[in-house]
Amino acid sequence: MSNDCPFCGIVAGEIPGRIVHETDDVTAFLDANPLAPGHTLVVPNDHHERLDDLPEKLAREVFAVLHQLTPAVEAAADADGSNVAFNNGPAAGQEVPHLHGHIIPRFDDDGGAPIHVVAGNRPDLTEDDLDAIAEDIRNAR
């Protein structure tokens, strides 16, 4: 737990939260600043800032909760679909430094855009660029 982390405070019961799912390892609650009705956050109970900080076993548990809750959130919001995403680090828009997955209900007429617009302008990459990036990723694992 981190004393200055609002999500740790919600998990500990020190800060009010609209909890929708709770286990010994993972908690889910409604986002206090929702992008849509039913916008839900799924967090590991222990403080981890980024995906690469998360132990593999706990990552499986977080993703299992996301898998379980996504259809429940969509049904509760009467949504046509959802975006499920992580902002991993400040450069990616992560505002609270406690790993959290978003389930954002989406509606046919909500005016939103696909996840591809999050990154802004697309890079102009050649086939050689793509091959080199793929190789770098394989080598970094």
Side-chain angles (χ1 to χ4, degrees):
M1 291 286 178
S2 174
N3 291 337
D4 59 345
C5 173
F7 293 170
C8 286
I10 291 170
V11 169
E14 298 164 356
I15 296 174
R18 290 180 175 86
I19 309 288
V20 299
H21 179 89
E22 194 169 24
T23 69
D24 290 340
D25 298 313
V26 179
T27 299
F29 47 90
L30 295 183
D31 192 311
N33 298 298
L35 298 175
H39 182 170
T40 300
L41 303 179
V42 176
V43 305
N45 292 350
D46 292 336
H47 188 85
H48 298 279
E49 291 190 17
R50 296 174 52 110
L51 282 168
D52 54 331
D53 299 331
L54 200 59
E56 188 173 334
K57 181 179 184 294
L58 186 53
R60 284 194 295 273
E61 294 180 40
V62 168
F63 278 89
V65 172
L66 284 164
H67 181 263
Q68 179 185 17
L69 285 183
T70 297
V73 169
E74 288 178 4
D78 198 25
D80 300 307
S82 61
N83 289 112
V84 179
F86 289 85
N87 296 322
N88 196 41
Q94 184 178 6
E95 296 176 323
V96 177
H98 185 127
L99 179 76
H100 53 287
H102 294 260
I103 304 170
I104 305 168
R106 295 295 305 274
F107 305 89
D108 289 335
D109 61 352
D110 65 12
I115 195 96
H116 288 85
V117 300
V118 170
N121 296 328
R122 292 180 185 213
D124 185 23
L125 300 170
T126 67
E127 293 295 319
D128 288 342
D129 294 333
L130 294 171
D131 289 341
I133 292 167
E135 183 66 21
D136 289 345
I137 292 170
R138 284 191 294 271
N139 291 334
R141 295 182 317 148

